[in-house]
Amino acid sequence: MWILPTLTFWSSLGLLTYTYVGYPLGIKALARLRPRRVRSAPLEPSVSVVMAAHNEAARVGAKLDNLLGLDYPADKLEIIVASDGSDDGTDEVVHGFAQRGVRLVRLERQRGKACALNAGVALARGEVVVFCDVRQVIEAGALRALVSAFGDPQVGAVSGELIMESAKGPGVYWRYEKMIRAAEGEVDSVVGATGALYAIRRHLFRELPAQCLLDDVFTPMHIVLAGYRVLFEPGARCSDQEAPVAGEFSRKARTLAGNFQLLTQLPALLSPVHNRVFFQFLSHKLLRLACPVALGTLLASNMVLVATGAPGWPFYVVTLSGQLAMYGLALRAGLLGGEPGKLARTSHTFVVLNAAAVEGFRRWVK
């Protein structure tokens, strides 16, 4: 009577431990033992910055000032704003920068970020295309840091680094995530990019599917499948204010829905024959989609093992107590708000992000 719950408990615990601890430590160790060299060089290729915007009149002017102030030759930099059916004056703000070389492409009705980016890239003349969002502030030297890696002909895309201006809640998760991405890039390739700032070779761009949720994963992984590397460049920094956990839930749910969607858009990612970073993709992306189920089966099987007095009962009491304490801290942080302790914030973020995976699956199915 204890065999099934025991197997369920240990397989669930093993999956969670490998996904959140084992793989990050393993890929970091592999990066130190067998790093792949990058032949970077101080290049100045022509660059097209493509940015999608929908009703961003309040922020797009500041972002364009930011882009125009980057440390890069003006005659080699073009900026294209793809206005996705904006009706709040965004287009008028962008038109005000026309004399400074900013180009506007307008979609008459809102069709989504993917369609806006497709329209922007279609006008791009640069050898390198840089994608960014309106909200974040890019550091002056970020563009040079991004393009330097293209001195290596094997590099097809480079992701920048997003700095959260807080170390609480999701900010802690983001530091953990960046550690994994940096190690993956040193081993071979990052399985995705930072949507706030990344660059690709123009000729490697493949038109995004109209409903694509994750251009910053679809495009880099298409480039990996084409035989090129995708790197993480910590010197190409942009900054953002940390969103509340509730806002992070919505963003993460969209991201995870996009991960489910990606499997239908690029099915070759599921083949170890065609996807040379299949191991990283499986460990970093796919297994996380299964973790909410593993959390549920871990708790349920642990309760059964304690209730039935299974062999090793004292150990299972400790593990059940630990799980209940984690969920209790997460609940306390969510209900009381304010400034919970570090452990409570971490528990809350962990639970919320796994709940977002469930919501992401629901959205994808819907």
Side-chain angles (χ1 to χ4, degrees), residues 209-215 218 254-267 289 360 364-365:
Q211 302 301 320
C212 182
L213 294 173
L214 297 181
D215 66 280
F218 179 95
R254 179 180 178 277
T255 298
L256 292 166
N259 283 336
F260 285 111
Q261 181 195 63
L262 190 69
L263 302 181
T264 61
Q265 293 173 339
L266 287 176
L289 301 179
W364 175 69
V365 170

Coordinates of all heavy atoms in Angstrom, one line a residue, residues 209-215 218 254-267 289 360 364-365:
P209 N 5.3 33.8 -36.7 CA 3.9 33.5 -36.8 C 3.1 34.6 -36.2 O 3.4 35.2 -35.2 CB 3.8 32.2 -36.0 CG 5.2 31.6 -36.0 CD 6.1 32.8 -35.9
A210 N 1.9 34.9 -36.8 CA 1.1 36.0 -36.4 C 0.7 36.0 -35.0 O 0.7 37.0 -34.3 CB -0.1 36.1 -37.3
Q211 N 0.5 34.8 -34.4 CA 0.0 34.7 -33.0 C 1.2 34.4 -32.0 O 0.9 34.1 -30.9 CB -1.0 33.7 -32.9 CG -2.3 33.9 -33.7 CD -2.9 35.2 -33.4 OE1 -3.0 35.6 -32.3 NE2 -3.4 35.9 -34.5
C212 N 2.4 34.5 -32.5 CA 3.6 34.2 -31.7 C 3.6 35.0 -30.4 O 3.6 36.2 -30.5 CB 4.9 34.3 -32.5 SG 6.4 33.8 -31.6
L213 N 3.7 34.4 -29.3 CA 3.8 35.1 -28.0 C 5.2 35.4 -27.6 O 5.4 36.4 -26.9 CB 3.1 34.2 -26.9 CG 1.6 34.0 -27.0 CD1 1.1 33.0 -26.0 CD2 0.9 35.3 -26.9
L214 N 6.2 34.6 -28.0 CA 7.5 34.7 -27.5 C 8.5 34.9 -28.7 O 9.2 33.9 -29.1 CB 7.9 33.5 -26.7 CG 7.2 33.2 -25.4 CD1 7.7 32.0 -24.7 CD2 7.2 34.4 -24.5
D215 N 8.6 36.1 -29.2 CA 9.6 36.3 -30.3 C 11.0 36.1 -29.7 O 11.9 35.7 -30.5 CB 9.4 37.8 -30.8 CG 9.8 38.8 -29.8 OD1 8.9 39.1 -28.9 OD2 10.9 39.3 -29.8
F218 N 11.3 32.2 -29.9 CA 11.1 31.7 -31.2 C 12.3 32.0 -32.1 O 12.9 31.1 -32.7 CB 9.8 32.2 -31.8 CG 9.6 31.7 -33.2 CD1 8.8 30.6 -33.5 CD2 10.1 32.4 -34.3 CE1 8.5 30.2 -34.8 CE2 9.9 31.9 -35.6 CZ 9.1 30.8 -35.8
R254 N 1.9 34.5 -19.4 CA 2.0 34.7 -20.9 C 3.2 34.0 -21.4 O 3.2 33.3 -22.5 CB 2.1 36.2 -21.2 CG 2.2 36.5 -22.7 CD 2.3 38.0 -22.9 NE 2.5 38.4 -24.3 CZ 3.6 38.4 -24.9 NH1 4.7 38.1 -24.2 NH2 3.7 38.7 -26.2
T255 N 4.3 34.1 -20.7 CA 5.6 33.4 -21.2 C 5.4 31.9 -21.2 O 5.8 31.3 -22.2 CB 6.7 33.8 -20.2 OG1 7.0 35.2 -20.2 CG2 8.0 33.1 -20.6
L256 N 4.8 31.4 -20.2 CA 4.7 29.9 -20.2 C 3.7 29.4 -21.2 O 3.8 28.3 -21.8 CB 4.3 29.4 -18.8 CG 5.5 29.6 -17.8 CD1 5.1 29.5 -16.4 CD2 6.6 28.7 -18.1
A257 N 2.6 30.2 -21.5 CA 1.7 29.9 -22.5 C 2.5 29.9 -23.9 O 2.3 29.0 -24.7 CB 0.5 30.9 -22.6
G258 N 3.4 30.8 -24.0 CA 4.2 30.9 -25.2 C 5.1 29.7 -25.3 O 5.4 29.2 -26.4
N259 N 5.6 29.1 -24.2 CA 6.5 27.9 -24.2 C 5.7 26.7 -24.8 O 6.2 25.9 -25.6 CB 7.0 27.6 -22.9 CG 8.2 28.5 -22.5 OD1 8.8 29.1 -23.4 ND2 8.4 28.7 -21.2
F260 N 4.4 26.6 -24.3 CA 3.6 25.5 -24.9 C 3.3 25.7 -26.4 O 3.4 24.8 -27.2 CB 2.2 25.5 -24.1 CG 2.3 24.9 -22.8 CD1 2.1 25.7 -21.6 CD2 2.5 23.6 -22.6 CE1 2.1 25.2 -20.4 CE2 2.5 23.0 -21.3 CZ 2.4 23.9 -20.2
Q261 N 3.1 27.0 -26.7 CA 2.8 27.3 -28.1 C 4.1 27.0 -29.0 O 3.9 26.6 -30.1 CB 2.5 28.8 -28.2 CG 2.2 29.3 -29.6 CD 2.2 30.8 -29.7 OE1 3.2 31.5 -29.4 NE2 1.0 31.4 -30.0
L262 N 5.2 27.3 -28.5 CA 6.5 27.1 -29.2 C 6.7 25.7 -29.7 O 7.2 25.5 -30.7 CB 7.7 27.5 -28.3 CG 9.0 27.7 -28.9 CD1 9.0 28.9 -29.9 CD2 10.1 27.8 -27.9
L263 N 6.2 24.7 -28.9 CA 6.3 23.3 -29.3 C 5.6 23.0 -30.6 O 6.0 22.1 -31.3 CB 5.9 22.4 -28.1 CG 6.6 22.6 -26.8 CD1 6.1 21.7 -25.8 CD2 8.1 22.5 -27.0
T264 N 4.5 23.7 -30.9 CA 3.8 23.5 -32.1 C 4.4 24.3 -33.2 O 4.3 24.0 -34.4 CB 2.3 23.9 -31.9 OG1 2.2 25.2 -31.6 CG2 1.7 23.0 -30.8
Q265 N 5.0 25.5 -32.9 CA 5.6 26.3 -33.9 C 6.9 25.9 -34.4 O 7.3 26.1 -35.6 CB 5.6 27.8 -33.4 CG 4.3 28.4 -33.2 CD 4.4 29.8 -32.5 OE1 5.4 30.1 -31.9 NE2 3.3 30.6 -32.7
L266 N 7.7 25.3 -33.5 CA 9.1 24.8 -33.8 C 9.2 23.4 -33.3 O 9.9 23.1 -32.3 CB 10.2 25.7 -33.2 CG 10.4 27.0 -33.9 CD1 11.4 27.8 -33.1 CD2 10.8 26.9 -35.3
P267 N 8.5 22.4 -33.9 CA 8.5 21.0 -33.4 C 9.9 20.4 -33.4 O 10.1 19.4 -32.6 CB 7.5 20.3 -34.3 CG 7.4 21.1 -35.5 CD 7.6 22.5 -35.1
L289 N 7.6 23.2 -17.0 CA 6.2 23.1 -17.3 C 5.5 22.0 -16.5 O 4.3 22.1 -16.2 CB 6.0 22.9 -18.8 CG 6.5 24.0 -19.7 CD1 6.2 23.7 -21.2 CD2 5.9 25.4 -19.4
G360 N -0.7 29.5 -17.6 CA -0.2 29.5 -18.9 C -0.7 28.4 -19.8 O -1.1 28.5 -20.9
W364 N -3.0 28.6 -23.1 CA -2.6 28.0 -24.4 C -3.8 27.1 -24.9 O -4.1 27.1 -26.1 CB -1.4 27.2 -24.2 CG -0.9 26.4 -25.4 CD1 -0.5 26.9 -26.5 CD2 -1.0 25.0 -25.5 NE1 -0.2 25.9 -27.4 CE2 -0.5 24.7 -26.8 CE3 -1.3 23.9 -24.7 CZ2 -0.4 23.4 -27.3 CZ3 -1.2 22.6 -25.1 CH2 -0.8 22.4 -26.4
V365 N -4.4 26.3 -24.0 CA -5.5 25.4 -24.4 C -6.6 26.2 -25.0 O -7.2 25.9 -26.0 CB -5.9 24.5 -23.3 CG1 -7.2 23.8 -23.6 CG2 -4.8 23.5 -22.9

